[in-house]
Amino acid sequence: MSDTAIYPVPEEWARTAHVNRARYENACKAAETDPEGFWRGVAERLEWTAFPTRIKDVSFHKDDFRIRWFEDGILNVSVNCIDRHLPERRDDVAIIWEGDDPAESAAITYGELHAAVCRFANVLKKHGVNRGDRVTLYMPMIPEAAYAMLACARIGAVHSVVFGGFSPDSLAGRIEDCGSDFVITADEGLRGGKTIPLKANVDAALEKVSVRSVLVVRRTGADVAWVEGRDIDYGPEAASVEADCPPEPMGAEDPLFILYTSGSTGKPKGVLHTTGGYLVWAAWTHEVTFDYRPGQVFWCTADVGWVTGHSYLVYGPLANAATTVMFEGVPNYPDHSRFWQVVDKHRVEIFYTAPTALRALMREGDGPVKATSRSSLRLLGTVGEPINPEAWRWYHEVVGEGRCPIVDTWWQTETGGHLITPLPGSTDLKPGSATLPLPGIRLQIVDAEGHELTGPTEGNLCITDSWPGQMRTLYGDDQRFFDTYFSTYPGRYFTGDGCRRDADGYYWITGRVDDVINVSGHRMGTAEVESALVLHPYVAEAAVVGYPHDIKGQGIYAYVTLNAGVDAHDDLRAELIKHVRGEIGPIAAPDVIHWAPGLPKTRSGKIMRRILRKIAENELGALGDTSTLADPGVVDDLVKGRPA
Ligand code: WTA
């Protein structure tokens, strides 16, 4: 990785962007010298029923730990995303929906969005959903997914969106954890020409945990099983209610949504975001990072099941009166030109996707890109994992034909929105670097003991002060929230990421330093995959690590010790992979299964993952000191047993 390749801000961008270099530097100064005034100013972009007088009340220290923003402010998220745009933009397109089948698409105006969300909200109310109730969404990428999210926000219910690729077991765990008794789903999803049995998965999940109601939206019209008294058909219900629903006035610190994400230990964590700070953050970052102006067509390819879909498909863009594209399909269906065909079809100006998708498309060569025009594109973005400079250059040169800046946005489910990112009118770009923090974001790189490292350096990335979009807690578990993020380095939020800072002060995220891996831009806890593996009757023990994977960024490498008397063979390998898919979902399927007669453990029984990572990476010369192992011979066996 070279620090010297610099792509300067194009002159036109420096001249016309919302934020040029002088504005960026001024904002950084203002955020430092007068944080209250600065954040008050940022909050003014929203419409408040009562504008907050208390701006920030934060301590990261154990004794008086609290994170509160805009605490006495009152607002409603759906009003900010819809109603306030109606006087001027009723007929502007809010959502462009592009179906899996290229022949299917739809345009929903802000006026239509208002009616659809109100109807949805009235259906929820009619079926007993109240302010504060948790509602689980298990939806395909259809406009009703956004309607359902906004409808919850309208009535003050808390949504928990579960990605449609998760298994019934994973869904059940997430329903149970937040005590949700209302599920919204569709008959089936459609992706890459294949159907996904969403309703059947919900039925299977509900064998483990019970809920009051399941609201079913018809997508494919397939004949699905029906439980009388529990299942509700959305279509007829929507027709039976009013297209107007008064918004619930919400406190800024009232919960908006829960989103489960993987941690380094235990079951997935229910990250909780609140109303005011989250929306301020999603809206502000969407505007400054993407230099967004109403009228432009903005496309974030993420699924609504992930935080990127929450912040940059739904909430950020709609709060800014944007035209946001929602794509039901996949990048390689019907062919590898699909992304770029959709760009041409809808005249997309800003395109935001994940490095894994780019690497997969890059492998198909330039042909499928060059078969399209892409003349509407003006800005490109990436998110989810470090982008390798080779993919960055391909994105810049082939997709963007050298004319579009790339914003490499670093953030997390926990952060609500971007924290480290170039601003296209202000930041010179370096391929592979997320560059500089947004104004008000105070980064610190520390060593393992928590000592601050200054100047050009590499270590663990912490943040020393809050920002409005920060998560507030883990649902129902304040203690785990504190322990996970604020106890490793007292007084600071620990991101879990490693990071390098170069001589220009640019930040380069090096990847997770905990037991979380990032597979195709999706977070996966190694502990979750291990738990799934050991549920199999033949498995005695399992240890999972990440390893570099050309397309996925990281692949899942599983060491498996079988029960005595069980033979290791390829059929069992396939069976174990299928088993993990069934337990968690396809995104958790191991790429490699390495039969391990034993695992390297210390005398106290702790697995030495460092060694397992090195063997998975095939760095056999760098295994380091193995003398503290209870049985050093285990390592030789593992090295000999590496799968071809
Ligand atoms: C990684 C996704 C490098 C990082 C928004 C982080 C990145 C984790 C980048 C969060 C980036 C995200 N460069 N790494 N631009 N963006 N990451 O919660 O390891 O699904 O901690 O949020 O993705 O993943 P999450």
Side-chain angles (χ1 to χ4, degrees):
M1 252 185 271
S2 152
D3 289 356
T4 50
I6 290 186
Y7 292 68
V9 174
E11 215 181 287
E12 196 204 324
W13 280 84
R15 217 177 40 244
T16 61
H18 285 303
V19 183
N20 57 23
R21 187 152 316 156
R23 289 221 188 97
Y24 171 72
E25 284 168 3
N26 285 339
C28 290
K29 260 185 234 132
E32 194 153 319
T33 53
D34 176 20
E36 298 256 329
F38 180 77
W39 294 119
R40 184 181 299 115
V42 175
E44 276 166 4
R45 64 172 32 259
L46 298 187
E47 183 176 294
W48 300 79
T49 315
F51 192 78
T53 63
R54 299 216 290 279
I55 301 300
K56 176 185 177 194
D57 183 17
V58 171
S59 164
F60 285 176
H61 294 278
K62 198 178 176 84
D63 293 337
D64 55 351
F65 183 79
R66 59 191 190 278
I67 303 171
R68 296 182 202 129
W69 284 90
F70 314 121
E71 206 184 338
D72 58 347
I74 295 175
L75 75 167
N76 181 283
V77 164
S78 81
V79 167
N80 274 280
C81 291
I82 310 169
D83 306 45
R84 68 166 167 151
H85 308 316
L86 293 180
E88 302 215 337
R89 306 192 174 277
R90 176 175 291 275
D91 298 324
D92 286 8
V93 175
I95 299 175
I96 295 175
W97 178 75
E98 169 75 15
D100 187 54
D101 176 345
E104 269 194 288
S105 59
I108 297 119
T109 65
Y110 274 93
E112 290 163 345
L113 181 63
H114 181 261
V117 169
C118 284
R119 280 187 195 281
F120 216 114
N122 283 330
V123 170
L124 295 180
K125 285 216 284 202
K126 177 173 165 193
H127 289 279
V129 177
N130 292 313
R131 182 177 171 132
D133 290 353
R134 278 79 56 214
V135 174
T136 300
L137 274 65
Y138 187 66
M139 292 288 279
M141 287 283 280
I142 55 176
E144 286 81 357
Y147 303 162
M149 292 164 76
L150 291 160
C152 287
R154 195 159 189 93
I155 64 172
V158 182
H159 61 69
S160 162
V161 184
V162 177
F163 174 57
F166 278 119
S167 68
D169 271 352
S170 298
L171 174 61
R174 286 157 171 80
I175 291 172
E176 192 165 32
D177 185 83
C178 67
S180 153
D181 70 356
F182 199 99
V183 177
I184 305 174
T185 191
D187 47 6
E188 293 181 319
L190 204 53
R191 264 168 69 87
K194 298 194 195 86
T195 55
I196 300 151
L198 295 172
K199 172 63 165 64
N201 286 352
V202 169
D203 290 339
L206 295 184
E207 285 172 17
K208 310 229 152 133
V209 47
S210 76
V211 301
R212 190 162 42 89
S213 307
V214 178
L215 184 60
V216 184
V217 175
R218 303 286 177 173
R219 166 60 187 106
T220 63
D223 197 11
V224 291
W226 208 255
V227 177
E228 282 311 325
R230 185 197 73 183
D231 297 347
I232 306 164
D233 197 348
Y234 179 71
E237 287 299 300
S240 78
V241 295
E242 301 267 315
D244 195 18
C245 170
E248 191 75 14
M250 303 300 289
E253 284 295 348
D254 284 333
L256 176 64
F257 66 83
I258 299 165
L259 186 56
Y260 286 88
T261 190
S262 292
S264 53
T265 56
K267 54 181 184 149
K269 308 179 289 194
V271 168
L272 183 104
H273 282 285
T274 56
T275 301
Y278 171 80
L279 194 66
V280 165
W281 200 254
W284 184 59
T285 52
H286 173 259
E287 182 179 280
V288 298
T289 303
F290 299 112
D291 191 47
Y292 188 79
R293 286 143 217 274
Q296 294 178 336
V297 178
F298 175 86
W299 182 15
C300 163
T301 66
D303 192 282
V304 289
W306 309 110
V307 74
T308 308
H310 283 56
S311 300
Y312 300 109
L313 201 158
V314 179
Y315 291 118
L318 296 178
N320 291 333
T323 299
T324 183
V325 177
M326 176 186 258
F327 176 43
E328 185 182 36
V330 294
N332 58 359
Y333 177 82
D335 59 53
H336 291 98
S337 289
R338 186 69 192 277
F339 269 180
W340 325 120
Q341 290 158 358
V342 175
V343 165
D344 285 351
K345 178 171 169 186
H346 300 297
R347 304 295 299 160
V348 172
E349 290 177 58
I350 306 165
F351 177 75
Y352 188 38
T353 197
T356 186
L358 296 172
R359 286 190 298 264
L361 292 172
M362 194 172 135
R363 197 177 54 171
E364 304 301 323
D366 300 354
V369 185
K370 293 198 162 143
T372 62
S373 141
R374 287 156 288 109
S375 59
S376 55
L377 287 176
R378 68 189 298 266
L379 181 69
L380 303 171
T382 69
V383 56
E385 51 175 318
I387 182 164
N388 47 311
E390 193 195 357
W392 194 101
R393 290 205 176 82
W394 184 79
Y395 199 23
H396 190 258
E397 271 141 46
V398 180
V399 175
E401 294 177 339
R403 93 182 162 267
C404 307
I406 296 177
V407 288
D408 173 355
T409 62
W410 175 85
W411 59 296
Q412 311 177 296
T413 305
E414 293 88 339
T415 71
H418 309 150
L419 295 194
I420 310 179
T421 177
L423 302 181
S426 152
T427 321
D428 297 338
L429 307 174
K430 295 187 188 188
S433 171
T435 74
L436 299 171
L438 285 167
I441 301 303
R442 305 171 76 119
L443 306 177
Q444 194 178 78
I445 297 182
V446 301
D447 66 15
E449 283 75 49
H451 300 118
E452 179 172 6
L453 302 170
T454 54
T457 188
E458 183 168 342
N460 296 337
L461 183 65
C462 292
I463 306 172
T464 62
D465 199 356
S466 187
W467 61 98
Q470 183 170 26
M471 70 182 285
R472 297 302 193 265
T473 191
L474 289 170
Y475 185 80
D477 203 343
D478 295 342
Q479 190 62 45
R480 187 178 178 202
F481 175 53
F482 182 86
D483 292 346
T484 306
Y485 301 103
F486 301 92
S487 68
T488 319
Y489 304 115
R492 289 154 285 181
Y493 168 82
F494 176 41
T495 62
D497 276 324
C499 184
R500 184 164 71 82
R501 185 170 48 220
D502 71 18
D504 296 326
Y506 272 44
Y507 290 83
W508 302 71
I509 304 296
T510 54
R512 301 289 303 198
V513 294
D514 52 10
D515 291 320
V516 172
I517 52 184
N518 199 323
V519 186
S520 301
H522 301 318
R523 262 167 83 163
M524 189 48 60
T526 52
E528 287 171 67
V529 184
E530 289 163 5
S531 311
L533 281 166
V534 296
L535 283 177
H536 192 279
Y538 289 171
V539 175
E541 202 171 16
V544 169
V545 296
Y547 74 103
H549 186 288
D550 283 350
I551 304 291
K552 299 180 178 184
Q554 279 189 300
I556 300 180
Y557 195 110
Y559 294 87
V560 173
T561 307
L562 296 171
N563 285 324
V566 177
D567 272 346
H569 52 77
D570 284 348
D571 289 350
L572 182 54
R573 200 174 252 135
E575 186 179 318
L576 290 181
I577 292 172
K578 192 166 153 236
H579 166 79
V580 176
R581 294 172 69 99
E583 287 293 328
I584 305 178
I587 56 172
D591 298 280
V592 179
I593 290 199
H594 182 151
W595 304 120
L599 294 170
K601 292 184 186 165
T602 61
R603 286 186 197 96
S604 61
K606 200 168 152 23
I607 295 175
M608 300 245 317
R609 291 174 178 277
R610 174 179 58 82
I611 293 173
L612 294 178
R613 277 189 212 111
K614 291 294 175 199
I615 296 174
E617 287 163 14
N618 206 10
E619 291 201 15
L620 304 177
L623 296 181
D625 183 12
T626 57
S627 65
T628 57
L629 291 176
D631 175 8
V634 165
V635 175
D636 294 333
D637 290 342
L638 286 179
V639 169
K640 276 190 228 121
R642 264 188 117 257

